[in-house]
DNA sequence: TGCCTATATTGACGTGCGTCAAATCAGCTG
DNA sequence: CAGCTGATTTGACGCACGTCAATATAGGCA
C-alpha cells in the first residue's frame, strides 16, 4: 500500500485551480481581460480536428486516452501532437507519460466552467 | 390587435431549429461532420472581441441590444459589424432592424446546445 | 429633395494558424 | 550498446482571419 495510488485526494500534476474563470456570459459584460483569457478556451475547441480529439479523449474510458488511440483523425501524427498541445495549453486537457505512451485526460473543472458560462437565465426570470 | 406583436408563438425570422446539433462531447467521439459544424460555434466565441460583444448582448435587458449600445469594445465600427456578422452566421445571435437601429439578440437554443455539449458524466458514474 | 445618423460592405494589409516533412527526444527491448 | 516504436519539436508554406479606411446602403428628419 505504499506505491499504489490509493488516495487521489489531491493530484499534484493536475492544475485544478482555474475554477475562478468567469461568470456566466449573460450575468454581466465581460471585461477585456476576462474575454482575452476565456477566448483561448473557446478557440481551442474552435477547430474540427481539436474538437474530435477532445471528444475522443472525453468519451474514452475514464476520460483518458493514449495518443496512439486517438491519432486517426485524418491528419498527420505531428499535427495531432500539435493540436493536443493546444488543448493542453488551453487547460482543457492534461497529459502524463506512462512508459512508452503518453495519456491525455480531460480537465473536468475547466470544462465545467465553460459550460457554466453558457448558462442563460430562465425565460420567465 | 392587427399590427402589434401579441403572439410571438413562432418567429419567422428566427431559425430556432438547430437544436439537434450534437451529443455531449464525452458521450461518443464526434464524427468529422459533427466536428466541422460544431467547431464553427466555438470558433465564433474564440475571439476576445466577439466574446465581449456576445456577453454585452447576452447581459443586456431581454438578451437583446442595439449595435449602438455595444460598439465600445476598442475596435472600429466596421470591425464590430464584422464580428456581429460572424456571431450571426454561427447561429449564436439573430439580428432585426427596427427603424434606424439594428438589434441583436442571443439564440438561446443554440447557446444551450453548446452548454450541453460541455456536460461531463459525473465522477461516480 | 437633401442631409444626417446608423449599420453594413468592400478592399487591402499584416498576422496567426493548420498542415506537413524532417529531425529530435523518450523509453522499451534485444 | 544498437535499434525500434511512440511522441514532440522545428521549419516552412499557404490560407484564413482580424483590423482598418473608404465607400455604400438604410432609414429618419427638415
Amino acid at each position: 500500500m505504499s506505491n499504489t495510488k490509493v488516495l487521489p485526494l489531491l493530484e499534484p500534476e493536475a492544475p485544478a485551480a482555474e475554477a475562478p474563470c468567469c461568470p456566466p456570459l449573460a450575468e454581466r459584460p465581460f471585461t477585456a481581460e476576462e474575454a482575452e483569457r476565456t477566448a483561448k478556451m473557446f478557440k481551442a475547441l474552435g477547430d474540427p480536428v481539436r474538437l474530435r480529439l477532445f471528444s475522443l479523449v472525453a468519451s474514452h474510458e475514464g476520460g483518458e486516452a493514449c495518443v496512439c488511440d486517438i491519432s486517426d483523425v485524418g491528419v498527420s501524427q505531428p499535427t495531432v501532437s500539435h493540436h493536443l498541445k493546444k488543448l493542453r495549453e488551453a487547460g482543457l486537457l492534461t497529459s502524463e507519460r506512462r512508459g512508452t505512451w503518453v495519456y491525455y485526460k480531460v480537465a473536468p473543472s475547466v470544462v465545467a466552467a465553460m459550460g457554466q458560462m453558457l448558462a442563460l437565465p430562465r425565460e420567465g426570470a
Side-chain angles (χ1 to χ4, degrees), chain A:
Chain A
M1 203 198 270
S2 58
N3 59 350
T4 56
K5 208 172 186 182
V6 199
L7 293 174
L9 292 179
L10 39 96
E11 306 182 7
E13 60 235 352
E18 311 86 343
C21 171
C22 286
L25 278 157
E27 187 173 302
R28 57 166 174 79
F30 270 27
T31 67
E33 187 187 347
E34 286 172 339
E36 202 79 38
R37 190 155 19 108
T38 308
K40 288 176 185 165
M41 302 192 298
F42 282 104
K43 181 184 280 185
L45 293 181
D47 178 87
V49 174
R50 281 198 292 268
L51 205 49
R52 290 186 73 189
L53 289 172
F54 185 82
S55 177
L56 279 162
V57 173
S59 63
H60 225 258
E61 188 177 0
E64 168 179 285
C66 168
V67 175
C68 56
D69 290 329
I70 61 178
S71 292
D72 193 20
V73 288
V75 295
S76 71
Q77 192 275 327
T79 301
V80 168
S81 190
H82 165 72
H83 284 307
L84 287 173
K85 185 179 185 180
K86 283 291 190 72
L87 287 167
R88 180 159 36 89
E89 288 173 345
L92 294 169
L93 293 180
T94 59
S95 65
E96 179 190 359
R97 172 156 226 134
R98 289 209 286 273
T100 303
W101 296 280
V102 175
Y103 291 81
Y104 281 79
K105 73 189 309 183
V106 304
S109 65
V110 180
V111 177
M114 286 184 71
Q116 287 166 4
M117 278 185 233
L118 294 171
L120 295 177
R122 286 185 34 250
E123 294 248 341

